[in-house]
Amino acid sequence: MKVKNILLIRVVFFTEKAVALFNKLKSSLPEIEFISLNDKANLLPWTKESFEKSIPLIFISAAGIAVRTIAPFIKDKVTDSPVLVMDENGKFIIPVLSGHLGNANKIAELISKSTGVQCVITTATDINQKFSIDTFAKENNLKILNRDGIKKVSAKVLAGKQIKIYIDDSIKIGSDKFTEEIILTDKIENADVGITANEVNARYSNLLLNLVPKKYCIGMGCKKGKSFEELKTFAEKVFASELKLELRNNICSISTIDLKEKETGLLEFAHYLHIPEIFYTAEELNNAKGCFSESEFVKETTGVSNICERAAVLSAGDDSKLIIKKVSEKGMTISVAEKQFEGK
């Protein structure tokens, strides 16, 4: 199994020095798919498309160019593309947007480690080495129900105050995830943050923030060359018809066979959902437990008789339920497994 949070990055540059730096990025991080643009005439539509897909953007340019370019497309920290700026001499890399939820800070640190460029982080919780509630939510696949609460919790942490967190018994989060700023409480009425199986924010006025586990795991398969738009439209239709839910912000992971590791449409789709993509070998998929749909054609092609159902179940873990069996359309397949949580 291979889990990837950073799958593909778009890079903008305009000078010969920047071209050399782009080539250095590609050679130092071969596991990431880099796509470049060296054309000012198409910069705005290209950036607009990147934001629509939440694809990370690196500008090898002056910071002012990046700021003016992205300004029309910024919406909110939950869906914005991560944006970073590098100077053309390759001395500094600076995350300027979506540092936590979009992984911009992690991208900067990864590039710094692999190329030697100096990483400049400006987010307050990071530079003060404090607990970041939005990073915590992302790392633990928790949906943020009231976004304004992020600022309130962060302000309290930065003021040197402790945060009381309540967690439903059915939700397992290791103690290593918490720092000295955190106090765990068994009474939700006393908590600043409630991590609950279902939404309870309206019932408890004391809660600054309510976090709920993302419990749906998608397994997908597709023919080569399927676009982001095709995959997104297909998945949204299945979620709306089968679960009466919107797709975004309810998905924990998307998984498939490792033969699809370079399939651009799937990589873009995972970035759009702000979730990791999990790649399984045929052997791992064959070892999945359960009763699955079978296809001899798929088995002859990939070595496993069903990709989407097996991938969904494996990524959802023990005790999960396959709630949507394989749905097929125009060379695409999808299934959904649900993680099990019970609580208030």
Side-chain angles (χ1 to χ4, degrees):
M1 179 181 70
K2 184 183 293 185
V3 181
K4 286 189 175 183
N5 286 288
I6 302 163
L7 302 139
L8 110 102
I9 297 174
R10 288 186 168 191
V11 185
V12 180
F13 52 83
F14 308 107
T15 67
E16 289 301 319
K17 279 188 175 181
V19 172
L21 188 52
F22 172 68
N23 289 330
K24 184 178 181 180
L25 286 176
K26 288 198 297 182
S27 62
S28 63
L29 293 166
E31 70 275 16
I32 295 175
E33 187 79 12
F34 285 95
I35 301 173
S36 64
L37 177 73
N38 186 5
D39 178 7
K40 288 186 178 181
N42 289 312
L43 181 56
L44 279 177
W46 201 70
T47 303
K48 180 176 184 291
E49 182 189 47
S50 300
F51 268 71
E52 289 171 349
K53 298 177 179 179
S54 295
I55 297 173
L57 270 171
I58 296 178
F59 286 79
I60 305 178
S61 69
I65 293 174
V67 171
R68 286 191 294 272
T69 302
I70 67 175
F73 313 115
I74 296 173
K75 293 181 180 178
D76 63 67
K77 68 188 303 174
V78 176
T79 59
D80 285 338
S81 284
V83 178
L84 304 93
V85 174
M86 293 182 73
D87 66 286
E88 65 175 27
N89 287 329
K91 291 185 176 180
F92 304 101
I93 183 164
I94 308 170
V96 296
L97 191 67
S98 199
H100 291 155
L101 294 178
N103 281 327
N105 287 2
K106 286 190 175 181
I107 293 171
E109 290 165 353
L110 181 64
I111 290 173
S112 175
K113 185 177 179 180
S114 63
T115 66
V117 63
Q118 184 174 342
C119 177
V120 182
I121 303 293
T122 61
T123 41
T125 50
D126 292 88
I127 63 173
N128 289 290
Q129 297 182 317
K130 297 290 187 179
F131 176 77
S132 166
I133 191 65
D134 44 350
T135 299
F136 170 83
K138 181 177 180 63
E139 290 178 347
N140 289 281
N141 291 312
L142 299 170
K143 179 166 62 173
I144 300 166
L145 295 178
N146 48 326
R147 299 174 186 178
D148 290 344
I150 296 173
K151 294 180 181 178
K152 295 175 183 178
V153 173
S154 295
K156 194 168 181 179
V157 170
L158 291 169
K161 298 177 181 178
Q162 290 185 308
I163 302 297
K164 293 181 180 179
I165 295 182
Y166 167 85
I167 308 175
D168 274 354
D169 291 339
S170 60
I171 301 170
K172 306 303 178 185
I173 297 175
S175 59
D176 61 317
K177 299 290 186 180
F178 300 106
T179 60
E180 60 184 9
E181 297 99 337
I182 304 306
I183 299 175
L184 297 180
T185 176
D186 58 1
K187 296 185 181 297
I188 193 170
E189 295 83 359
N190 298 332
D192 300 299
V193 178
I195 303 175
T196 55
N198 303 294
E199 182 175 356
V200 298
N201 191 60
R203 290 163 49 194
Y204 298 97
S205 59
N206 55 289
L207 288 180
L208 301 177
L209 192 63
N210 188 192
L211 305 176
V212 171
K214 297 179 181 181
K215 59 184 179 180
Y216 299 109
C217 297
I218 288 179
M220 288 198 88
C222 67
K223 287 184 178 179
K224 185 177 180 179
K226 285 295 177 180
S227 69
F228 160 80
E229 289 78 13
E230 289 175 296
L231 294 165
K232 174 176 173 288
T233 299
F234 174 49
E236 285 179 337
K237 183 170 70 173
V238 170
F239 255 70
S241 62
E242 300 289 337
L243 297 177
K244 305 297 186 291
L245 287 173
E246 68 165 347
L247 182 69
R248 213 170 192 183
N249 298 323
N250 282 302
I251 309 302
C252 178
S253 67
I254 181 170
S255 54
T256 188
I257 193 167
D258 58 1
L259 296 174
K260 297 297 178 181
E261 200 169 340
K262 295 294 184 180
E263 197 68 42
T264 301
L266 279 171
L267 304 185
E268 290 179 341
F269 188 42
H271 273 297
Y272 168 77
L273 295 172
H274 276 286
I275 56 174
E277 185 157 10
I278 303 172
F279 300 95
Y280 293 105
T281 64
E283 181 181 1
E284 288 172 322
L285 291 170
N286 278 320
N287 288 331
K289 296 178 181 179
C291 181
F292 306 110
S293 308
E294 305 291 338
S295 167
E296 284 302 317
F297 173 77
V298 173
K299 188 172 184 178
E300 289 177 9
T301 306
T302 66
V304 59
S305 60
N306 182 297
I307 292 172
C308 63
E309 292 179 358
R310 291 173 180 272
V313 168
L314 282 176
S315 58
D318 296 339
D319 301 322
S320 63
K321 291 182 180 179
L322 188 64
I323 58 171
I324 299 178
K325 294 184 73 66
K326 182 175 74 173
V327 180
S328 302
E329 180 178 290
K330 298 178 181 178
M332 300 173 288
T333 61
I334 189 172
S335 63
V336 181
E338 180 181 1
K339 292 186 174 185
Q340 300 301 300
F341 301 100
E342 294 179 1
K344 288 180 178 288

